[in-house]
Amino acid sequence: MNKKVDLSRRNFMKGAALATGAGILAGCAPKTSTQAPAAPQAPVAAGALDWLGTEPEIKDIAETVESDVIVIGAGTGGAYVAASCLEKGLKVVLLEKNDKPSTVRNDWGAIGSKWQIEGGAKGLDKATILHYHAMYCANRIDQRLPRIWADESAEAIDWIGDLIISKGGMFDWEGGYEPDFEHTSSYPKFPTGHSAFWPGPDLSTAKMMKEYIEGMGGKYYFETPFVKFEHEGKKVKAAIGKTKDGKYIRFVGKKGIVLATGGYQGNVEMLKALQPQDLMVMSPMAGQPSHTGDGHKACLWMGAAFDECHTSMIFDRWGLLPNEVTATQTVPTLFWLGSQPWLKVNLLGERFCNESQPYDFIVHAAARQPGKCYAAIMDSTWFQQVQEFQTVGCSRIFPFPNGSPNDQPFYVPPGTDLKAIEENGKKIWQGYIDSGHLQQADTPEELAKKLNIPEATFAATFKRYNELAKAGEDQDFFKDSYRFLPLEKPPYYGIRLTGMILSTMDGIRIDTQMRPLDEENVPFEGLHVIGDTSGSYFAHTYPNLFTGYANGRTTVYARRVARILAGEPVDLPKA
């Protein structure tokens, strides 16, 4: 029986509860999967494994649901576009394969937000940032898309920041620093980031967004995974979802459909086929298991084009036991301090690259090292050195220069003094020791033995590193001098590390209206693709020194698509 349902608006539910900090999983860090890690393998041609399959043929539709807008995926992009559409008076239905909203990210990148203006932000020149973006990606992007982020991110982040504050949360710009262009050894750090914090353990940005959406009449269909599109040529007519009891529902968006199903980091077969070079240096256990490329496949079945440069956002924070390597890991741990630029050596005991780089650079360098992993080396002044390193984004474990709180899991309430932050950090540190991941020793030789690294070679590396650090110049790899600090005070510490996937970054090619394109750049109508499902924006690496960049882009896309669906002017006035 084909039952037709038309949804009407509800009254706004007033009153927002207070809740806690956005938590580690809603900010930088991913949800973890229980999947066994895939062993490194020789690269295979993209598509050599049958990850795409064939488009399912569905004949029996149990129900048809109509709304102005259909949003597929209730995570970050889905939540923002749904809320933005509802604010404009449109009716919205959201499909979600999980039993609750997916992860909603908690770091936003922008240029020119009111928090940045009020804080006197420096170093946010659009041209400079966009040139660096193109350079990081070797220009395998559509430069018109990051320009949209640069022009429209202030409006988008002002919107989400005001909303969070209105619901009892805290929103702040992570500022007080600016890019260094004078020292050629430095990778410029752009103060683009903003974060949200909540004052209790039971709320998050994800929960707030769900309440906000439902309060405006938005309707969720949970445990209803997306299956495919119905289309006539390049006109998308409907989306098909499947309920938990196996029934198919046709969802018709009278104004349009928005696809926001995330990446494919939870699909190991896709990673094997498309990103073998990345899979060999990272753990798929760190990816969101529900992000399996459903949206990518549905678009490809219609004839849309996929980014040809398949890339993941990889962080250098996956801790291994001292007798394991990337391919043999069994009980890894999320070592949040892995991004700190301490001495790092391969399993031969040799230093092999500059440790002061974007997150994934050392992970890629480790692809050419034994075991495709490495070890980070610290001494008893580790907390003091972290302060001197002055990292940014979610790797930072103490407040930013302007007083904005640091990120999880070292988060402490605003105004907490450094002593309390250090005590909290020591408890976390001890946990790594107790789990058997972080090794402790009184001499370099003893530490090397515990890490299963050649003692003599490591001792020589350790000695040279300290000699150069005390002289103030890294003659081997030209690391920033302020981050080239000697390790002189035992006990010494070490942990084996490898990469962890946060999300995939290659997606369906889109135009400036977020419409999917075919190989000849002809757009599909009736469909908009946002967030990690969309492409044409990143390649080769994620420029993490533009803090919150991916989520900032997603928020901008959501706001832009809502304007399109509401029939408003697409482009915002130029500042």
Side-chain angles (χ1 to χ4, degrees), residues 7 32 55 160 177 206-207 210 215 227 259 346 353 394 408 485 536 553:
L7 296 164
T32 57
E55 183 174 15
I160 188 63
Y177 64 92
K207 184 175 180 181
K210 179 175 181 292
V227 178
L259 182 65
N346 62 20
C353 71
C394 60
Q408 299 278 12
L485 306 179
S536 308
R553 169 203 61 165

Side-chain angles (χ1 to χ4, degrees), residues 418-435:
L418 283 177
K419 186 63 178 176
I421 297 174
E422 182 176 10
E423 291 304 314
N424 179 56
K426 285 181 177 178
K427 292 177 182 178
I428 297 173
W429 189 263
Q430 186 60 46
Y432 294 128
I433 296 173
D434 294 342
S435 69

Side-chain angles (χ1 to χ4, degrees), residues 11-129:
N11 291 328
F12 177 71
M13 295 169 56
K14 296 182 179 179
L18 296 179
T20 187
I24 180 173
L25 296 179
C28 263
K31 294 182 179 178
T32 57
S33 168
T34 56
Q35 291 176 300
Q41 55 184 305
V44 296
L49 300 178
D50 187 22
W51 56 269
L52 180 58
T54 57
E55 183 174 15
E57 187 175 340
I58 299 169
K59 297 180 179 179
D60 298 323
I61 301 294
E63 180 182 356
T64 294
V65 174
E66 286 191 1
S67 185
D68 290 333
V69 179
I70 302 298
V71 176
I72 307 171
T76 303
Y80 295 157
V81 74
S84 298
C85 286
L86 287 161
E87 289 175 346
K88 297 179 183 299
L90 300 174
K91 302 170 186 176
V92 179
V93 165
L94 300 95
L95 284 69
E96 172 56 47
K97 71 191 298 185
N98 298 302
D99 61 0
K100 58 185 177 181
S102 301
T103 299
V104 174
R105 298 295 181 193
N106 213 62
D107 291 283
W108 296 265
I111 297 176
S113 76
K114 62 183 180 181
W115 288 274
Q116 290 169 326
I117 293 172
E118 291 169 2
K122 298 179 180 179
L124 290 174
D125 177 68
K126 288 182 184 180
T128 302
I129 290 174

Side-chain angles (χ1 to χ4, degrees), residues 307-324:
D307 280 340
E308 75 285 354
C309 185
H310 302 291
T311 309
S312 284
M313 185 187 302
I314 302 174
F315 283 9
D316 49 351
R317 302 177 192 167
W318 207 239
L320 306 174
L321 292 171
N323 61 341
E324 296 184 343

Side-chain angles (χ1 to χ4, degrees), residues 130 211 398:
L130 295 177
E211 292 177 351
F398 59 96

